[in-house]
Amino acid sequence: MAEIILKNVSKVYDNSVTAVRDVNLEIKDHEFMVLVGPSGCGKSTTLRMIAGLEDISSGTISVADKIVNDVQPKDRNLAMVFQNYALYPHMTVYENMAFGLKLRHFPKNEIDARVKEAAATLGLEPYLDRYPKALSGGQRQRVAVGRAIVRKPAAFLFDEPLSNLDAKMRVQMRTEVSLLHKKLGTTMIYVTHDQVEAMTMGSRICVMKDGEVQQIDTPLAIYDSPCNLFVAGFIGMPPMNFFDGTVENKDGSFFFVGKAFSFPLIKPEWKDKLAAAVGRKVVFGVRPEDIGSPSAMLVKDAPTLSGSLKVKEPMGAETYLYLDDTAAERFIAKVDPHMVAEVGQSMTLPVNPAKVHVFDAESTNLIV
Amino acid sequence: MSNSKTFRGVNYHPYAPWLFLTPYIIIALTFFLYPLIYAGWLSFHQTDGPHSAVFVGLDNFKFIFSDPSFYKALKNTTIYAIASICIQLPLSLGLAILLNNSQSKLKNLFRLLIFSPNLVGQIFVGVLFSVIFTPRYGIFNIGIEKLIHWGLDTQWLSKPGLIMPALIIVSLWMYVGYNMIYFLAALQTVDKQLVEAAQIDGASPWQVFLHVTLPQIRPVAVFVVIMSTIGSYQLFELPFALLKSSFGVDQAGLTIVGYLYDNAFNSGDLGTGAAIGWILAFIIFVISIIQLRATNSPEDK
Ligand SMILES: Nc1ncnc2c1ncn2[C@@H]1O[C@H](COP(=O)(O)OP(=O)(O)OP(=O)(O)O)[C@@H](O)[C@H]1O
Ligand SMILES: [Mg+2]
């Protein structure tokens, strides 16, 4: 059990690529922290620095109040699960899991007890005598997880552990890892580029881009108030709709004025911030599920967005409508699957006015 | 087409594979199988040329197994083979690991330098070292004199007890780089993530080597051990050149192939020569099988 703290951590590779820039991150004991971001944003590098597999160019990393910059990976008491499992091919499932304990000179019966317990937790009992090559991807990943949990480390590090699995297996393992975290209560740091994994698993999420931390918060806080355009567009599927325009003040009421429509910005607590933004170029953001959705329909006197329907994607539980407004700005609405809509038709859909966002176009930061 | 077959979506005539194999089959039959069988036939005959063979049954084998020189040759060759495997191969592996971990820009140059001695061949190396080992004036003796103040007058090539060590030193110089190349190639295929997984699992560098690197390069290591054994048992030119076309004082430089050469060409007894050849093939075969068995990996069973 341990707190992991990164202070002003940067990483410059030999080829002078700055992979990670000035990262500050406090991972509390028992926390499930997810590092998420697009490919190449420095997630793996950050995780590998925590593990000790990569030198830290500047800054400090501490585990359980001890600075570990110069501590060997083997002495950091962390366990890591790799994307392509990294199981020892010449060892059986049992030996793979027992390896770390053997190296630490645990007594035989203790090793046996721990391996058996992990195998039971992960449903690996029938496979203990098999070699990794005789296992499916999901089973291999379980062994990799088992190898990590038998050691009872201070924290678990996961680097995209599910990305080699098929979609169904991924969903199942996602739940299993979450359950495991509940059961063990050990600190976990989990790297993924999949925002769904981030949302569903994390106690908190750290969104990264180009080696820099964008926002650290709980999944819902990030979803509801993304700190900038990048986070807003990255978290959420389908992504948030964006429209360029300006903020205007008409007789004390604020409006977003875009190319095709204007939209009232009604929340009283927004007033001060909006007043400061009047006349500035902004980006207006609405999530697809706040346009024409059952919940948006319930809002009294809701403002609307109009467009002509270009594509309709029924997903089963909901339907995605791809619409173009009169300025040919494409936006997506997530609507009830039974809503009547024909491609080519023009539609006017209610929007929940309390859920919209305005970003500064220049700094890309959230205004409201 | 009814008589065509398909491989990965390509249609072919059923005879096509045989057509492609024909050159190999012809070469193998002419230069491998025929000589082998002919030598087998020869080993039961007394002959001094192709047209005067007299069947002698097992006489050739009886002679060999009662000849002290054969046992001398067998002992010398076996000592040499054991030394190759126990001294040379660990050194090759060590050098390969050093080069593999090195960040130096001179890495490729070192690799070439260490590899190059065996390019010139055993005869040349033998001649070269017969000079290098010259007592008092040879650079080898001068070198060890400088290092440990001893051995300037050591007669490497004329003391029976020193001939084999000299031979081992020369072959070390000649082949250490050759085997290193195999190990280096194998090390480069070791999955880096396994090494990292082991480090995080708590393995020291030595434990990583023992539990991850070594098992990963095992197939190549087995190959190198077997090829070294075979090569060692075929040793001939190196001592022959080193000892100026002799087998050394007290036959201390006599190898099995040297013994074969001596019987077949110095004594002109081709039948006995062929018999020795077959015995050698059998020895190599048995040792290779034992080595393969001993190094069989568990996950392949
Ligand atoms: N060993 C290395 N040497 C030089 N540059 C590297 C090295 N490893 C990574 N980089 C660079 O550092 C940056 C961050 O890489 P990193 O692997 O941390 O990204 P990531 O967020 O894990 O991406 P992905 O989702 O694709 O795994 C990238 O630009 C990458 O090219
Ligand atoms: Mg990565």
Side-chain angles (χ1 to χ4, degrees):
Chain A
M1 308 284 140
E3 230 179 21
I4 295 174
I5 299 169
L6 284 74
K7 274 205 188 112
N8 307 103
V9 170
S10 296
K11 172 72 189 182
V12 185
Y13 279 112
D14 298 336
N15 55 2
S16 72
V17 170
T18 305
V20 172
R21 202 186 310 262
D22 201 21
V23 166
N24 287 289
L25 183 60
E26 260 184 56
I27 300 143
K28 300 194 194 81
D29 203 2
H30 308 305
E31 193 167 33
F32 196 125
M33 172 63 80
V34 176
L35 304 184
V36 69
S39 190
C41 71
K43 311 175 295 280
S44 296
T45 305
T46 307
L47 196 73
R48 291 167 57 81
M49 284 192 286
I50 298 172
L53 297 173
E54 216 70 72
D55 289 335
I56 300 161
S57 304
S58 65
T60 58
I61 295 180
S62 60
V63 176
D65 296 329
K66 189 175 154 243
I67 291 180
V68 294
N69 284 34
D70 298 321
V71 177
Q72 290 295 310
K74 73 184 178 73
D75 300 321
R76 291 194 187 190
N77 193 23
L78 304 171
M80 184 155 168
V81 177
F82 294 85
Q83 177 172 354
N84 38 15
Y85 324 129
L87 299 179
Y88 311 118
H90 54 283
M91 296 186 199
T92 62
V93 169
Y94 186 98
E95 290 163 344
N96 262 284
M97 293 204 267
F99 185 60
L101 298 175
K102 270 189 197 148
L103 292 176
R104 289 181 166 76
H105 304 293
F106 276 71
K108 251 203 158 79
N109 53 352
E110 170 77 12
I111 296 179
D112 197 59
R114 286 201 192 184
V115 171
K116 294 259 162 75
E117 190 195 334
T121 311
L122 295 162
L124 284 171
E125 282 149 321
Y127 311 112
L128 284 175
D129 293 327
R130 286 212 201 161
Y131 286 93
K133 70 176 177 196
L135 298 177
S136 72
Q139 289 162 346
R140 284 179 206 186
Q141 197 50 276
R142 260 172 248 238
V143 178
V145 172
R147 183 169 69 181
I149 63 178
V150 290
R151 289 208 0 239
K152 306 200 170 146
F156 292 106
L157 312 176
F158 293 89
D159 193 355
E160 310 211 16
L162 308 186
S163 51
N164 283 357
L165 303 178
D166 65 51
K168 203 169 166 196
M169 200 66 216
R170 197 149 54 214
V171 174
Q172 188 188 332
M173 285 297 287
R174 201 163 79 197
T175 325
E176 278 184 40
V177 173
S178 293
L179 284 173
L180 201 65
H181 176 247
K182 295 236 157 55
K183 184 175 160 200
L184 302 174
T186 314
T187 312
M188 291 188 177
I189 308 177
Y190 188 104
V191 162
T192 179
H193 62 258
D194 179 349
Q195 51 95 21
V196 179
E197 269 175 32
M199 288 295 292
T200 51
M201 301 171 86
S203 331
R204 282 194 303 156
I205 299 179
C206 168
V207 185
M208 294 180 71
K209 182 195 168 206
D210 299 337
E212 291 181 40
V213 171
Q214 306 291 305
Q215 189 171 12
I216 306 172
D217 216 325
T218 60
L220 276 185
I222 286 187
Y223 192 80
D224 287 339
S225 40
C227 72
N228 60 29
L229 273 178
F230 170 78
V231 177
F234 189 76
I235 301 286
M237 198 61 218
M240 189 183 276
N241 299 299
F242 294 123
F243 304 89
D244 294 328
T246 50
V247 171
E248 278 171 30
N249 184 346
K250 289 181 188 157
D251 313 324
S253 313
F254 290 94
F255 286 86
F256 163 77
V257 179
K259 293 177 207 152
F261 62 92
S262 63
F263 194 95
L265 304 166
I266 54 159
K267 274 200 173 176
E269 64 262 36
W270 292 349
K271 281 220 156 76
D272 291 346
K273 286 176 190 156
L274 289 173
V278 168
R280 288 236 296 278
K281 282 193 175 164
V282 297
V283 176
F284 175 69
V286 202
R287 292 204 182 274
E289 59 269 36
D290 297 320
I291 308 175
S293 61
S295 66
M297 298 280 190
L298 295 177
V299 179
K300 243 195 226 152
D301 304 325
T304 57
L305 277 183
S306 308
S308 70
L309 183 57
K310 296 297 176 194
V311 178
K312 187 177 161 186
E313 284 182 353
M315 306 298 290
E318 66 242 344
T319 293
Y320 299 162
L321 303 179
Y322 292 72
L323 302 114
D324 281 1
D325 67 14
T326 51
E329 292 166 307
R330 172 74 44 95
F331 64 97
I332 306 174
K334 212 188 225 180
V335 302
D336 187 276
H338 302 292
M339 178 187 275
V340 181
E342 296 297 332
V343 172
Q345 165 189 354
S346 54
M347 307 181 75
T348 297
L349 299 167
V351 176
N352 187 343
K355 293 280 190 83
V356 301
H357 296 287
V358 178
F359 301 89
D360 188 309
E362 205 169 311
S363 70
T364 79
N365 288 335
L366 183 78
I367 298 173
V368 297
Chain B
M1 274 205 304
S2 60
N3 66 343
S4 80
K5 297 187 173 184
T6 310
F7 177 73
R8 294 192 182 159
V10 179
N11 289 326
Y12 65 86
H13 194 277
Y15 295 152
W18 295 105
L19 194 67
F20 287 111
L21 285 173
T22 311
Y24 167 75
I25 293 173
I26 290 174
I27 290 170
L29 286 179
T30 336
F31 296 108
F32 182 69
L33 201 62
Y34 169 70
L36 202 68
I37 292 170
Y38 183 60
W41 178 85
L42 213 53
S43 65
F44 297 104
H45 290 76
Q46 169 85 54
T47 174
D48 48 12
H51 303 295
S52 63
V54 180
F55 183 76
V56 292
L58 288 174
D59 279 6
N60 290 334
F61 289 93
K62 279 185 196 149
F63 164 75
I64 294 165
F65 286 119
S66 63
D67 182 4
S69 290
F70 170 69
Y71 293 101
K72 183 105 198 177
L74 185 62
K75 186 182 124 200
N76 287 342
T77 316
T78 304
I79 290 174
Y80 175 81
I82 291 173
S84 289
I85 290 164
C86 298
I87 302 173
Q88 194 189 101
L89 295 191
L91 252 161
S92 297
L93 180 57
L95 282 172
I97 291 171
L98 276 181
L99 271 188
N100 193 41
N101 292 342
S102 143
Q103 308 291 341
S104 166
K105 296 213 161 59
L106 297 175
K107 199 166 151 172
N108 289 337
L109 181 68
F110 280 125
R111 188 168 59 191
L112 182 68
L113 284 181
I114 300 170
F115 175 73
S116 56
N118 80 84
L119 293 173
V120 293
Q122 292 193 354
I123 296 288
F124 182 77
V125 171
V127 172
L128 188 67
F129 269 81
S130 69
V131 177
I132 287 175
F133 276 130
T134 311
R136 186 157 289 252
Y137 305 110
I139 57 166
F140 188 82
N141 285 14
I142 294 175
I144 52 173
E145 159 74 23
K146 288 255 153 67
L147 273 178
I148 54 174
H149 305 293
W150 172 88
L152 188 59
D153 288 315
T154 314
Q155 302 189 323
W156 291 99
L157 304 179
S158 40
K159 285 257 163 60
L162 290 180
I163 287 180
M164 204 32 87
L167 212 52
I168 290 166
I169 291 169
V170 178
S171 83
L172 204 62
W173 180 79
M174 191 168 171
Y175 288 116
V176 93
Y178 181 76
N179 290 317
M180 178 194 77
I181 294 293
Y182 285 106
F183 284 125
L184 195 57
L187 286 173
Q188 278 159 2
T189 67
V190 170
D191 186 351
K192 232 181 131 243
Q193 230 167 56
L194 287 185
V195 173
E196 291 177 346
Q199 286 173 345
I200 291 177
D201 260 346
S204 64
W206 167 246
Q207 287 167 324
V208 170
F209 172 75
L210 202 65
H211 296 293
V212 177
T213 315
L214 211 51
Q216 289 263 297
I217 63 169
R218 195 187 50 81
V220 172
V222 171
F223 173 79
V224 172
V225 166
I226 289 178
M227 292 315 281
S228 281
T229 312
I230 294 174
S232 298
Y233 272 93
Q234 291 174 341
L235 182 71
F236 169 59
E237 302 102 298
L238 190 62
F240 201 60
L242 192 65
L243 301 169
K244 309 209 166 77
S245 314
S246 79
F247 299 114
V249 184
D250 197 17
Q251 295 189 324
L254 184 66
T255 64
I256 297 181
V257 178
Y259 178 67
L260 187 159
Y261 177 88
D262 194 35
N263 275 284
F265 299 117
N266 289 346
S267 315
D269 186 352
L270 292 178
T272 304
I276 299 166
W278 265 91
I279 292 170
L280 177 60
F282 182 74
I283 292 172
I284 289 175
F285 178 74
V286 170
I287 293 176
S288 303
I289 294 288
I290 293 172
Q291 284 172 340
L292 268 179
R293 280 282 160 81
T295 51
N296 217 347
S297 79
E299 87 253 30
D300 293 336
K301 277 185 189 143

